[in-house]
Structure formats: C-alpha cells, structure tokens
Amino acid sequence: MNTDLALPDYREQTPEVAARFSRLVERPVALQVSHLTKKFETPRGIITALDDVSFSVHKRELLSVIGPSGCGKSTLVRILAGLESPTSGELRVYGEPVSGPGADRGMVFQGYTLFPWRTVKENVMFGPQMSGTPTYIADSEAREWIELVGLSKFENAYPHQLSGGMKQRVAIARALANQPRVLFMDEPFGALDAQTRCQMQSYLLEIWKNVDITIVFITHDLDEAVFLSDRILVLEANPGRVNEVVQVPVPRPRSSTQIFDPTFLGVRKHIDNLIHPPGQEQKEAPVLRHAISDPDVV
C-alpha cells in the first residue's frame, strides 16, 4: 500500500465526525488510568516496562493500543484486566478503584482458551454458572450470545470442530456472557489468516454496535487499529510511555473499502510516523546463509 502520496491532515474532520467526538467525550469515563508504572526485577537489574502511563476511555468507546515491540502493550492490558499488579499508579472502572480481576472486566486473548471438553454452549455458560446463575438461565442467555456471534448452528459442537475464526467468536461470546462493562482484547485476531482476520474485524464492530460495552483492543496492525477504533493510544518503547492519543476521523459505519480512503491513509501514515519516525536509523537484519550463494537468486 503506497502511503507516500499527498494525504490530508489526519486531524481534519467533517462536521459529522467532529460531532461524534464531541458526544464521545461527554459520555462517562469507563476506564481511568493514572500514572501507571510497572517494573520487573531481572538478573540484569530492574526493567521498567511501563512508565507514568495515563489515559481515559469513555463509555462505549473502542480504543486501540498500538506501539513498537517492547512498548508494554500486553503488560498494560494484563494490568487493566487485573491479571498483574502495577508497581505504582491507579486504575478505576467507572470511578471505582481496581486492584485485581473482577466481573466488571472481560478478557479475550490471542489464543482461544476454550475448554476442549465443553461444547460451544457449555463454554459460554461456564462464567455465569460459576457466578451462581441457575443452569436454565445460563443456558438461555448462552443461546442469545451464541446467536449474536452467528454460531447458533454450532452450539453443540466442540472447539476442535471449529475454525480459528469461529473459536474466537466463541471466546468473545464467553467473555460477554459475564456481562462485563469493559472488554479487553489482547491481539485476538493475530493468529488468524488475513481473510478471516478481516471477517472478524467486521464481526467485532457488529457485536460492539449491539452490546453496551467499552472495548480496549491491543494490536500491532496499523490498518486494524484505524479500521476499528474511535481513538488510538500510541505507546513509545523502552520504557512504555504514552506518545499520543490519536482521534480517528474515518466516518462510521466502517467498511473494508475505506482502507483506500485518503482520510484512512492519512491516519495510518501519521501513526506509522509516530512508531517509526522518518529518518530513524534502522538496524540491518543479519544475513544468514544455509546454502552456497547463487548470483541468480535475488
């Protein structure tokens, strides 16, 4: 994809898009992260993975987090989900302080993490059953979530009988069945082929449109971040710090044809420049040879 063409300033907005962002910031703050720092002790000393990270996410917003390798994306989302503790800083969900896992937050990983001995419906039922929901209610609600992700015909199938995209839809349904207020997704489509990944992005937007949920989406894919998001949190690396929070002025509803739109390309180029500043010296890749050099092979 050629992004060297003259592209519009990504901050240019139509009145409709400006109104959308105005409505966004008027919503309640669903997630507030304040001065979050995470340090790890290693044999070579203390490593700072995240340094003084602060940002907020509004109700029903879809915010992506992106950055270069080593910026702490996965560490950040694990802290937000309560799976790790920060060294310092504060996390609040709808104003309430968070110190560990909770039903108000759901998590979808890159791996499918489904129980192989349970059917699709039984996987989706698991969370509500563990929280004390009667089986007949959990069964009924699971069917509704399975229908939402388009897998009603497969509710009695086992994970090994499903494709990768279908497994991830089950994982999303299982997370939503617990009715979290915020859903964290850690590169959930990273293991899928390109075609399935595009389909899953569209599925996610459709699900998000129909469910009262706020989403924080971790990705390394620039196109994916722009296509999905209201805003994009761009992190610096070593240590992970907030570089910029970028508004995405691409109109909604989104479609795959928009990836060729000048506005889409303008946002993408701006984020790419944040992650890989122009003129930044790139390390040369090592040359590995496992055969005699052939001048006819280039």
Side-chain angles (χ1 to χ4, degrees):
M1 183 182 297
N2 183 6
T3 59
D4 295 330
L5 304 173
L7 298 173
D9 189 322
Y10 83 97
R11 291 162 293 192
E12 293 180 0
Q13 298 177 2
T14 65
E16 292 79 8
V17 170
R20 175 163 62 87
F21 282 120
S22 178
R23 293 192 297 270
L24 173 66
V25 298
E26 290 174 355
R27 298 175 194 162
V29 173
L31 176 69
Q32 182 72 56
V33 178
S34 302
H35 307 292
L36 201 68
T37 296
K38 178 64 176 180
K39 298 182 178 181
F40 294 98
E41 292 187 11
T42 73
R44 293 185 290 180
I46 295 177
I47 294 177
T48 302
L50 297 168
D51 182 39
D52 197 30
V53 172
S54 297
F55 64 95
S56 60
V57 188
H58 292 268
K59 179 180 173 65
R60 295 223 67 202
E61 180 176 6
L62 201 162
L63 177 112
S64 287
V65 180
I66 199 167
S69 177
C71 69
K73 297 188 296 293
S74 291
T75 299
L76 174 62
V77 76
R78 288 180 63 82
I79 292 174
L80 299 181
L83 303 178
E84 289 188 21
S85 299
T87 304
S88 62
E90 187 178 49
L91 166 65
R92 290 178 176 269
V93 173
Y94 287 95
E96 295 296 322
V98 170
S99 58
D104 56 352
R105 283 153 293 136
M107 184 77 172
V108 177
F109 300 90
Q110 180 173 335
Y112 310 120
T113 63
L114 301 177
F115 299 125
W117 59 89
R118 285 176 169 261
T119 65
V120 166
K121 185 176 67 175
E122 290 168 346
N123 265 282
V124 177
M125 291 174 60
F126 178 77
Q129 285 181 309
M130 290 299 98
S131 63
T133 301
T135 298
Y136 74 95
I137 295 178
D139 182 288
S140 175
E141 292 179 348
R143 290 175 186 270
E144 293 179 5
W145 291 115
I146 293 168
E147 181 179 2
L148 181 68
V149 298
L151 292 176
S152 294
K153 295 181 180 179
F154 299 90
E155 66 175 45
N156 295 315
Y158 288 89
H160 74 272
Q161 298 172 308
L162 306 177
S163 68
M166 294 166 72
K167 290 177 185 176
Q168 204 59 303
R169 278 190 271 166
V170 177
I172 293 171
R174 188 176 66 175
L176 292 175
N178 294 309
Q179 300 186 27
R181 306 181 80 180
V182 183
L183 180 65
F184 301 110
M185 308 185 78
D186 189 7
E187 302 205 39
F189 310 145
L192 303 176
D193 63 83
Q195 182 177 0
T196 304
R197 185 172 188 150
C198 290
Q199 292 173 343
M200 286 302 302
Q201 291 164 2
S202 297
Y203 270 121
L204 178 62
L205 289 181
E206 189 65 23
I207 292 166
W208 175 61
K209 184 176 73 173
N210 290 286
V211 179
D212 184 10
I213 193 76
T214 301
I215 297 176
V216 177
F217 190 96
I218 309 298
T219 182
H220 65 272
D221 187 288
L222 299 181
D223 291 322
E224 182 170 69
V226 178
F227 180 71
L228 294 176
S229 310
D230 292 308
R231 295 185 300 156
I232 300 171
L233 176 70
V234 184
L235 295 176
E236 299 175 355
N238 304 313
R241 296 191 180 104
V242 175
N243 187 331
E244 186 176 327
V245 180
V246 178
Q247 291 184 347
V248 181
V250 179
R252 293 193 186 276
R254 304 271 168 84
S255 70
S256 58
T257 59
Q258 288 174 305
I259 65 173
F260 304 108
D261 184 89
T263 301
F264 188 105
L265 295 175
V267 181
R268 188 192 189 284
K269 183 175 182 181
H270 176 72
I271 297 171
D272 194 22
N273 288 341
L274 291 174
I275 298 174
H276 309 108
Q280 184 183 66
E281 186 176 339
Q282 300 290 328
K283 293 183 179 179
E284 292 187 6
V287 177
L288 302 178
R289 296 195 185 279
H290 295 279
I292 299 174
S293 178
D294 187 335
D296 293 327
V297 177
V298 295

